[in-house]
Amino acid sequence: MRIVIAGGHGQIALRLERLLAARGDEAVGVIRDPQQSEELRSAGAEPVVLDLESATVDQAADVLRGADAVVFAAGAGPNSGAARKDTVDRGAAVLFADAAERAGVRRYVVVSSMGADPGHPGDEVFDVYQRAKGEADAYVRSRGALEWTILRPGMLTNDAGTGRVALAASTGRGPVPRDDVAATLLELLDTPATAGLTLELISGDKPVPVAVRDVAGN
């Protein structure tokens, strides 16, 4: 498969790129900073430089043409202000969804946030982030041409992955290693029957393939 990943230099994206490359798939990482290109190549991915805050839908669609699936894993980052939560966490996800439709790529997997909600209250930056992610998720769900799956991990850690997770429409809060988020994304890409699902993910006791199979089509 050819998988295009927005936010290709992110911690989850780099892990996913390594997993895809290891099994012979073609990973394409969309990045804003060309200096990150070598790290993507080291992960086995093809870097494509495109600033999703200023790109047009046509420019993004050109990157997506010929892809089998898209993973939106971009984010403004923890040190960014409220304005970039809107332009990246919401705006770039909307742009990429429109671009996927234009390019004819139906499979669209989103890395969202547990608690994302367009109506999330509050004025802190994290509140703005949760609203932005919620608005992006709602937009993606509205696109009838997309076979979308939205993944909402719990508190991300850099602990070594266990390969065992809890995956459901509602899991309750908890931590999850980034390794296991990437492994779950890979399994979701391989399981088209998860299209139309919004899923929460935390560490648990089910092997990732079993967890994904259990929710597929539900």
Side-chain angles (χ1 to χ4, degrees):
M1 294 192 295
R2 178 179 171 88
I3 309 297
V4 179
I5 304 167
H9 188 255
Q11 294 188 64
I12 292 170
L14 286 167
R15 287 166 167 82
L16 177 59
E17 288 156 7
R18 293 186 191 102
L19 293 174
L20 289 165
R23 70 178 199 178
D25 286 327
E26 187 179 354
V28 179
V30 178
I31 53 177
R32 185 177 61 166
D33 183 354
Q35 294 184 357
Q36 297 168 343
S37 296
E38 193 52 46
E39 193 168 353
L40 266 71
R41 293 190 186 100
S42 297
E46 171 195 343
V48 172
V49 178
L50 184 70
D51 185 346
L52 297 180
E53 290 179 89
S54 60
T56 66
V57 172
D58 283 337
Q59 287 171 328
D62 286 344
V63 173
L64 296 180
R65 284 195 177 86
D68 295 289
V70 173
V71 177
F72 186 85
N79 297 319
S80 61
R84 294 199 69 230
K85 304 303 184 191
D86 182 67
T87 56
V88 179
D89 293 287
R90 184 201 61 79
V94 167
L95 173 85
F96 234 53
D98 289 344
E101 281 193 323
R102 191 162 299 183
V105 183
R106 293 184 62 82
R107 191 74 173 112
Y108 194 90
V109 178
V110 177
V111 182
S112 184
S113 171
M114 190 174 287
D117 181 353
H120 184 89
D123 298 317
E124 299 298 322
V125 172
F126 184 72
D127 300 323
V128 176
Y129 168 76
Q130 291 289 62
R131 283 196 294 274
K133 295 297 281 186
E135 289 166 6
D137 292 353
Y139 185 83
V140 169
R141 289 193 195 103
S142 76
R143 311 316 296 166
L146 297 180
E147 296 170 356
W148 53 265
T149 303
I150 294 169
L151 184 66
R152 293 177 166 176
M155 185 183 71
L156 298 170
T157 76
N158 287 326
D159 297 338
T162 66
R164 293 181 173 271
V165 298
L167 181 70
S170 178
T171 60
R173 294 192 175 274
V176 61
R178 288 178 172 88
D179 288 349
D180 290 335
V181 178
T184 302
L185 288 168
L186 187 72
E187 200 69 31
L188 291 172
L189 288 167
D190 287 344
T191 313
T194 57
L197 299 180
T198 300
L199 300 166
E200 294 182 352
L201 176 73
I202 58 173
S203 292
D205 56 10
K206 285 187 181 180
V208 168
V210 175
V212 172
R213 186 172 66 239
D214 285 353
V215 300
N218 293 333

